[in-house]
Amino acid sequence: MSKYANPDVLVSTQWVDDHKEDAKVVVVEVDVDTKAYDEGHIPGALGWNWQTQLCDTVQRDIIPKDQLEGLLSNSGIANDTTIVLYGDNNNWFAAWAFWQLKIYGHKDIRIMDGGRRKWLQEGRDLSAEIPVVRISNYKASAADLAIRAFLPEVREEFQSPGTVLVDVRSADEFTGKILSPPGLPETCQRGGHIPGARNIGWGLACNEDGTFKAFDELEALYASNGVTPDEQVITYCRIGERSSHSWFVLKYLLGFPTVKNYDGSWTEWGNLVGAPVETGNGASA
Amino acid sequence: MRPQNYSVKTGEIAGVEITVTSYNIGEAFYCQISSADPGAVISRVKSSSSDEAVRKALQFARLKLSR
């Protein structure tokens, strides 16, 4: 992991096995499949439900600051805790949690490379026990919006020479053949993509076992699609979760200086009246 | 407790590429069917045998995807 721009943000399954009982380490599982945690998780790990605990459940938004403080306090997390996130499906929602925690300024967050799949594949210990937590008094920073893009900015920047949009959805979503993948309810009125966006599927950043590809492979993946560190990069998908995974890769593994996640994503853009839409293939990986 | 027999296979139902993930934790056998991309859960079954878990999960997935 040493060649990554920020190698400390990734930890191995062995590292987690060795440190899961450390007083300053809190391991948290965040899954697509919110039932997976209950069947067995890393001993001592907490489970966060992305649908109810990492979203504002009233208005469409990320979790508000006060609720994040409550979640972290109730998880026994202090401001100097090392949070290790892991989850199913290539750490899809672990990356979503990582992005939100960075927005609110938590310093030491890591992702377990390979996620739940690798842990299970290696036959490591699981537990069904929910750990008893000593409640803390977490204080979050004001939201850092430098890593989050909102609609007005995307509308202004999507055709600017210094900005590149990366659409990380599947080819069928990108071209407009389908509005949303099977099993995912959030949808849109129109199919296609934001004009000029490059289609680089989020899963291409991962190996078969769910671990992240090596630095050189990731760099080549993005460079071959014209995505380079000298530009501002805005990632998007359908609701902003797959794109937080690509945001993590670009920002932390490749070290691109300016990367934002547009979590409004296609379910916002594809529902706008009068927004320009491109269909068919763009440049796709 | 430790997971055993972890397996990931691919397939297709109603034109949708799927992954079939199965394993057991002790006497509980799990099977989950997800879309290959992006990985949305289509069905998941817990059963007392591996064969039954896979069979039922595929059955539920077929029902759901053929609608």
Side-chain angles (χ1 to χ4, degrees):
Chain A
M1 294 175 191
S2 58
K3 203 178 171 188
Y4 293 130
N6 298 280
D8 292 348
V9 296
L10 280 186
V11 290
S12 66
T13 48
Q14 187 59 53
W15 187 95
V16 176
D17 224 351
D18 293 341
H19 291 86
K20 62 184 184 296
E21 289 168 16
D22 290 3
K24 286 287 183 190
V25 173
V26 172
V27 181
V28 183
E29 179 165 338
V30 191
D31 295 313
V32 183
D33 175 4
T34 54
K35 293 174 185 162
Y37 173 83
D38 296 333
E39 75 189 26
H41 47 263
I42 295 176
L46 298 164
W48 289 346
N49 184 321
W50 75 269
Q51 292 170 321
T52 57
Q53 293 177 295
L54 292 173
C55 293
D56 187 319
T57 54
V58 179
Q59 67 179 43
R60 182 179 173 190
D61 210 338
I62 60 170
I63 186 172
K65 184 181 172 208
D66 60 336
Q67 283 180 36
L68 179 105
E69 289 176 335
L71 175 65
L72 269 58
S73 296
N74 290 330
S75 301
I77 291 170
N79 289 69
D80 62 351
T81 297
T82 298
I83 304 175
V84 178
L85 299 164
Y86 76 102
D88 60 0
N89 198 19
N90 300 347
N91 281 314
W92 180 1
F93 277 92
W96 170 251
F98 185 103
W99 175 67
Q100 291 199 44
L101 289 168
K102 279 298 177 194
I103 283 178
Y104 289 114
H106 194 83
K107 287 197 169 52
D108 191 357
I109 320 169
R110 308 175 189 204
I111 286 184
M112 185 176 83
D113 202 15
R116 181 180 172 88
R117 172 179 178 158
K118 193 159 195 285
W119 188 272
L120 267 65
Q121 243 169 352
E122 292 171 348
R124 294 181 186 271
D125 264 339
L126 293 174
S127 169
E129 276 179 41
I130 296 173
V132 177
V133 167
R134 191 170 178 177
I135 292 172
S136 66
N137 185 25
Y138 192 89
K139 293 290 174 207
S141 305
D144 172 14
L145 300 179
I147 57 173
R148 187 181 189 195
F150 291 93
L151 177 63
E153 181 183 0
V154 179
R155 286 194 93 142
E156 199 173 305
E157 297 283 332
F158 78 96
Q159 288 175 320
S160 300
T163 296
V164 60
L165 266 66
V166 178
D167 184 322
V168 312
R169 299 173 299 159
S170 65
D172 282 351
E173 293 169 276
F174 182 78
T175 58
K177 185 180 172 188
I178 60 172
L179 294 182
S180 68
L184 296 175
E186 306 90 355
T187 186
C188 49
Q189 292 295 314
R190 292 291 182 268
H193 55 268
I194 300 174
R198 319 287 164 85
N199 184 209
I200 308 172
W202 73 287
L204 295 174
C206 294
N207 296 307
E208 188 63 30
D209 66 355
T211 55
F212 288 99
K213 285 182 178 167
F215 179 92
D216 292 344
E217 290 175 274
L218 294 172
E219 189 180 45
L221 170 68
Y222 287 100
S224 64
N225 284 279
V227 181
T228 50
D230 54 326
E231 292 177 299
Q232 168 178 246
V233 183
I234 298 175
T235 60
Y236 76 92
C237 57
R238 203 175 45 93
I239 58 170
E241 15 65 274
R242 278 178 280 177
S243 51
S244 61
H245 189 276
S246 300
W247 168 85
F248 172 81
V249 170
L250 287 159
K251 177 87 183 163
Y252 282 91
L253 301 187
L254 291 177
F256 281 28
T258 312
V259 190
K260 297 181 178 184
N261 183 27
Y262 169 40
D263 58 308
S265 276
W266 191 252
T267 50
E268 182 170 63
W269 192 279
N271 280 316
L272 291 175
V273 174
V277 171
E278 195 170 73
T279 56
N281 294 318
S284 75
Chain B
M1 58 185 189
R2 285 177 182 266
Q4 294 175 303
N5 305 308
Y6 190 91
S7 152
V8 181
K9 293 176 181 167
T10 56
E12 190 182 304
I13 295 178
V16 177
E17 286 185 36
I18 57 159
T19 56
V20 182
T21 306
S22 58
Y23 51 92
N24 64 294
I25 302 173
E27 299 301 309
F29 290 80
Y30 297 92
C31 181
Q32 179 182 298
I33 312 281
S34 308
S35 57
D37 187 4
V41 181
I42 295 164
S43 66
R44 88 186 325 272
V45 167
K46 177 185 176 184
S47 179
S48 56
S49 81
S50 173
D51 287 350
E52 186 178 66
V54 173
R55 186 175 55 76
K56 282 188 173 172
L58 285 168
Q59 190 181 347
F60 292 146
R62 277 190 202 101
L63 271 175
K64 208 165 176 178
L65 294 174
S66 60
R67 276 181 205 145

